[in-house]
Amino acid sequence: MSFKRHLIISTAVRIFLIYYGEVQDSLSDVQYTDVDYRVVTDAANHVLSLGSPFKRHTFRYTPLLAYLVLPNLLIHPSFGKFIFSLFDILIGVLIKWILLNCYRSNKISIETKLLKLETLNNRNKYLIKRKNEILNSNNEALPPKYIRMAELSAYCWLYNPLTMIIATRGNGDCVSCSLVLLSIYFFLKNDQTNMQHFIAGLFLGLSIHYRLYPVGFCLAFYLATLDKPPATWIDYLGAVLKPNAKQIALVTGTVVALFTTTALFYWLYGYQFLYESMLYHLVRKDTRHNFSLYFYLQYLSSTFEVTILEKLLTFLPQLVLILMLTVRYGQHRQTLAFGLFAISFVMVTYNPVVTSQYFVWFLSLLPLCVKNFKNIGIRKAVFIPVMWFISQGGWLLPAYLLEFKGWNTFEFIWIQSIVFFFSNVLILQMLISNYDIAYNYKID
């Protein structure tokens, strides 16, 4: 079956889920539609009335999201779900494009090195001609197995039930994931021009404006543009103080996109926009039950002021891990995708607030790394997702009893949050230990 047919099928499944959600919403107390979808729609209603989207209490996103769902009020209440599903499908397409590009780039690099060696020993005209063809071509044909691997990786996203449900419930995080993948796509293109790095920076800046979490990717992107990986801390300092042309283009694109969007909405909505969409997330204290290891602590201390020490102890572990992962995997273009996946995985796992919608941050990057886990084995490949979903299910049961039955299950939720946290830590350890860069491309 062709990739286009898979796109059609996965689109049809999402359309079915949207209509199924409307039926469930009308018949069940457990609503299929995300609560935030209604919040964003209400914010769009304020925009339509030429007001501020932040007049809607608990709207803490970029105004772009409210603009995006304006058709909810003009065409159909579920129109925004179709928009988010479209971005969800785009992620699958981008995964295939990025992997094909990576395979092609590595294939050209390897063949070029081999032909250089052969040409040195044999001044055969065919070898010299072939070498020049490779050096001047960015569209070198790939063996079918690599095209198939890129498509299978895309299917890991397109047929993932969790990501399908999150998008069709009306969650817009797939938009930020699409922007991150677009930045990766342009960053890893074979041309390696300053313009492509500038465009990659534009998408990275937009993704940071849309959701703050991609700011954790900036250093990895920056280091991956170095001509050679830094070996000492002096080299890292030199990379900051003496940036090359590609780094300047990347940073310029990021700053332009981020500053332009932020300045525009600050001019329109003032300090309230800045606080609600950005600053609030830095001081957020969510006392409602969520997957975070810290949720019960925040619930018990909800009447107390958050101290600087508490914030430091909360964010320091993930900051240290992000820095370590950036240095380990972010300084090579070949390992950048896995580095970004590991960074986002840590950000979600150690975050003071964790909800299901955050999972798409790293699930959208995981398919880019599937090709590097060929040595993981069937047992581990089955064990990892089973453990992840079971640990989630163990949390969802007491959470359901609390929210819909009114039972006091806070302690059970907290225990399951601990189980979920350590499950994520174990999963990341297994993925890191089984990651093999050699499978980026092997010459046949």
Side-chain angles (χ1 to χ4, degrees):
M1 190 182 297
S2 67
F3 184 70
K4 287 184 179 179
R5 285 196 174 184
H6 281 285
L7 289 178
I8 293 171
I9 292 172
S10 56
T11 301
V13 172
R14 284 164 173 79
I15 292 173
F16 168 78
L17 287 173
I18 291 171
Y19 283 108
Y20 164 79
E22 292 190 359
V23 175
Q24 180 174 323
D25 289 347
S26 63
L27 299 177
S28 174
D29 292 333
V30 182
Q31 296 288 286
Y32 183 85
T33 300
D34 196 324
V35 174
D36 280 351
Y37 184 72
R38 295 187 172 89
V39 172
V40 175
T41 302
D42 289 344
N45 194 25
H46 287 293
V47 172
L48 198 61
S49 304
L50 302 180
S52 168
F54 299 102
K55 287 183 178 179
R56 175 50 163 100
H57 180 59
T58 72
F59 179 78
R60 298 188 173 99
Y61 304 98
T62 169
L64 284 174
L65 185 57
Y67 296 168
L68 202 59
V69 299
L70 281 173
N72 287 5
L73 305 166
L74 302 173
I75 301 175
H76 191 275
S78 294
F79 197 92
K81 296 179 182 179
F82 287 97
I83 295 175
F84 298 148
S85 296
L86 187 63
F87 277 100
D88 208 40
I89 296 296
L90 175 62
I91 290 173
V93 175
L94 287 171
I95 288 169
K96 179 184 176 182
W97 288 357
I98 291 169
L99 287 175
L100 288 178
N101 196 54
C102 289
Y103 280 136
R104 192 174 294 117
S105 177
N106 291 326
K107 180 176 187 288
I108 293 171
S109 177
I110 292 171
E111 288 190 344
T112 301
K113 291 176 181 178
L114 290 174
L115 283 169
K116 280 182 179 179
L117 291 174
E118 292 178 13
T119 306
L120 286 173
N121 298 323
N122 185 355
R123 304 302 295 178
N124 186 291
K125 290 183 179 179
Y126 167 76
L127 289 176
I128 296 173
K129 180 182 177 182
R130 178 68 179 137
K131 171 190 166 186
N132 292 330
E133 286 177 355
I134 293 173
L135 287 172
N136 296 323
S137 174
N138 287 327
N139 297 301
E140 198 68 13
L142 285 169
K145 71 175 183 178
Y146 291 104
I147 298 174
R148 181 62 176 165
M149 188 67 220
E151 292 178 349
L152 288 174
S153 299
Y155 300 153
C156 291
W157 173 269
L158 292 173
Y159 292 113
N160 187 324
L162 180 63
T163 57
M164 284 194 289
I165 290 172
I166 289 174
T168 54
R169 289 185 68 213
N171 180 266
D173 276 78
C174 52
V175 179
S176 60
C177 294
S178 300
L179 293 171
V180 170
L181 286 171
L182 280 167
S183 65
I184 295 173
Y185 171 73
F186 281 99
F187 185 85
L188 295 179
K189 283 188 74 174
N190 298 333
D191 299 338
Q192 286 298 291
T193 62
N194 293 336
M195 179 54 69
Q196 90 177 48
H197 284 82
F198 177 77
I199 296 172
L202 289 176
F203 283 114
L204 182 60
L206 282 174
S207 67
I208 295 171
H209 170 81
Y210 192 90
R211 292 289 266 175
L212 285 178
Y213 79 92
V215 75
F217 301 158
C218 289
L219 183 57
F221 273 101
Y222 187 82
L223 293 178
T225 56
L226 292 173
D227 298 322
K228 65 177 183 178
T232 65
W233 287 108
I234 296 176
D235 294 336
Y236 284 104
L237 186 62
V240 175
L241 298 178
K242 296 180 180 179
N244 58 37
K246 295 174 185 176
Q247 289 173 322
I248 294 173
L250 177 71
V251 172
T252 302
T254 305
V255 171
V256 166
L258 182 58
F259 178 80
T260 302
T261 50
T262 303
L264 173 64
F265 290 122
Y266 184 81
W267 176 68
L268 289 173
Y269 305 117
Y271 177 76
Q272 189 181 18
F273 148 72
L274 205 60
Y275 177 79
E276 296 289 356
S277 66
M278 294 185 178
L279 300 179
Y280 169 80
H281 297 283
L282 301 177
V283 297
R284 179 180 183 183
K285 191 174 183 179
D286 198 332
T287 57
R288 294 194 64 184
H289 53 285
N290 61 82
F291 289 99
S292 175
L293 179 69
Y294 305 104
F295 116 82
Y296 198 47
L297 170 66
Q298 295 181 90
Y299 172 74
L300 294 176
S301 62
S302 58
T303 57
F304 300 96
E305 289 292 329
V306 180
T307 64
I308 296 177
L309 181 61
E310 182 183 342
K311 277 293 178 186
L312 182 64
L313 292 176
T314 301
F315 283 101
L316 187 60
Q318 64 172 302
L319 290 176
V320 172
L321 287 171
I322 288 171
L323 183 60
M324 293 174 63
L325 290 167
T326 299
V327 172
R328 176 66 181 87
Y329 297 105
Q331 55 183 302
H332 302 282
R333 289 165 53 83
Q334 292 83 357
T335 59
L336 177 63
F338 182 73
L340 299 182
F341 161 75
I343 289 169
S344 58
F345 197 96
V346 165
M347 292 173 70
V348 173
T349 301
Y350 286 81
N351 207 46
V353 180
V354 180
T355 61
S356 296
Q357 67 195 52
Y358 294 179
F359 299 153
V360 299
W361 298 356
F362 60 81
L363 287 176
S364 60
L365 296 168
L366 180 59
L368 300 178
C369 316
V370 169
K371 66 186 187 314
N372 300 101
F373 297 130
K374 287 191 175 181
N375 289 330
I376 201 168
I378 297 297
R379 289 185 179 180
K380 288 183 181 178
V382 173
F383 173 75
I384 288 174
V386 168
M387 178 176 64
W388 193 65
F389 279 110
I390 288 178
S391 61
Q392 280 188 65
W395 182 94
L396 288 170
L397 177 59
Y400 169 80
L401 295 174
L402 170 66
E403 189 163 348
F404 293 97
K405 300 298 181 181
W407 294 13
N408 184 1
T409 58
F410 277 101
E411 292 182 357
F412 294 102
I413 294 174
W414 175 56
I415 292 171
Q416 285 304 136
S417 296
I418 296 173
V419 172
F420 185 62
F421 173 81
F422 282 105
S423 297
N424 282 339
V425 172
L426 178 60
I427 287 171
L428 184 59
Q429 183 275 327
M430 294 172 68
L431 293 177
I432 289 175
S433 61
N434 287 276
Y435 178 76
D436 186 1
I437 189 176
Y439 281 102
N440 276 337
Y441 183 83
K442 286 189 174 182
I443 207 81
D444 291 331

